[in-house]
Amino acid sequence: MKLKSYENLHETFLVIVFITLAGGFQDAYSYLMRGRVFANAQTGNIVLLFKNIVDLNFKESIAYLIPVLSFALGVYLAVRFEDAIEKRVLHWRQYVIGFEIIIMILVAMIPKSLDNLANALLSFSCAMQVYSFKKIHGLNFATTMCIGNLRSATENLSKYHITKQEVYLENAKKYYTVILIFGLGAALGYLTSKGLGIKSILIAAGLLAISFFILFLEEHGQA
């Protein structure tokens, strides 16, 4: 079923499924294969950053500072990108997904000795994704982290028990489902990283490519 406007195609659940799977995958991949640094969970990186600063372990501090700064840069440039790019052949969000796919391919070719570079690229990519895809049918979601989704899910569940309004229960189900999908993406990242090593990030690229293809079909289906 097509939506009325291309502007909210990125909110369709099918698109969010593959993007969120990729988000969970990237976090597992960066932690397991790239020096126990999180691509998405910048809160964890900041905690470990300041822990290493206190320990005067400045080399390790840099490893956690780089993804934090890259994430911030990714959000900043995604906002600028949205403002600058006019819709031509594709929508600006499709360009973002395409750029993410290119980043994943590059990361797959970066050796372990350059983990800091790989993590910087992954955090930059995740930041662009978290800015570009942040709603499902009007609800605010995060496709690369869980804390906000968990808060919103439980808030809606509590409101349902207070008001008995079904809309709150449906909202809670959507949020909990996205959290589950993220977890499944992380599990997939864990399983494939063990077998494929640093090349496993190409699976995340494939998941993003599916989202890109869905948007592409929808766009031309409305023409």
Side-chain angles (χ1 to χ4, degrees):
M1 182 176 68
K2 294 180 174 61
L3 300 182
K4 294 181 179 179
S5 169
Y6 182 70
E7 284 302 313
N8 60 357
L9 284 176
H10 64 282
E11 296 185 29
T12 59
F13 191 74
L14 187 58
V15 171
I16 295 300
V17 164
F18 291 104
I19 290 177
T20 305
L21 283 171
F25 191 107
Q26 290 172 68
D27 244 359
Y29 172 86
S30 63
Y31 185 80
L32 295 169
M33 303 306 303
R34 296 295 185 175
R36 298 188 178 276
V37 173
F38 293 107
N40 295 318
Q42 301 308 322
T43 301
N45 289 336
I46 290 172
V47 170
L48 293 170
L49 165 64
F50 281 91
K51 179 263 185 189
N52 280 283
I53 289 176
V54 170
D55 289 340
L56 302 180
N57 192 343
F58 297 115
K59 182 178 180 180
E60 287 297 317
S61 298
I62 291 174
Y64 293 104
L65 177 62
I66 288 174
V68 172
L69 295 179
S70 295
F71 191 92
L73 179 63
V75 172
Y76 180 84
L77 291 182
V79 177
R80 298 294 299 271
F81 190 75
E82 177 186 11
D83 181 66
I85 298 295
E86 295 180 0
K87 179 183 171 186
R88 298 181 185 277
V89 178
L90 304 175
H91 189 276
W92 72 272
R93 287 185 177 86
Q94 288 175 289
Y95 287 109
V96 168
I97 293 178
F99 189 48
E100 283 191 84
I101 292 170
I102 293 171
I103 287 177
M104 302 301 151
I105 294 172
L106 290 175
V107 168
M109 296 186 290
I110 295 175
K112 286 284 297 173
S113 59
L114 296 176
D115 277 352
N116 284 345
L117 175 59
N119 288 326
L121 290 172
L122 287 172
S123 291
F124 180 84
S125 170
C126 290
M128 295 190 75
Q129 178 176 315
V130 78
Y131 174 77
S132 303
F133 298 89
K134 51 192 175 185
K135 287 189 177 183
I136 302 177
H137 300 308
L139 294 175
N140 292 319
F141 279 81
T143 61
T144 62
M145 58 196 74
C146 291
I147 186 169
N149 294 338
L150 183 58
R151 179 200 62 78
S152 296
T154 310
E155 176 185 345
N156 276 275
L157 182 62
S158 181
K159 287 182 178 179
Y160 166 71
H161 289 147
I162 294 170
T163 66
K164 305 303 180 184
Q165 295 182 31
E166 289 293 327
V167 63
Y168 291 120
L169 180 60
E170 291 304 312
N171 290 346
K173 289 178 180 178
K174 291 174 184 176
Y175 281 112
Y176 284 128
T177 300
V178 170
I179 293 170
L180 175 61
I181 293 169
F182 184 92
L184 291 174
L188 180 62
Y190 170 67
L191 292 172
T192 57
S193 293
K194 291 170 64 176
L196 300 176
I198 62 174
K199 303 293 185 185
S200 62
I201 193 64
L202 293 174
I203 295 174
L207 294 170
L208 291 172
I210 294 172
S211 294
F212 178 91
F213 190 61
I214 293 170
L215 288 174
F216 186 78
L217 287 180
E218 290 283 359
E219 165 70 346
H220 286 270
Q222 293 185 25

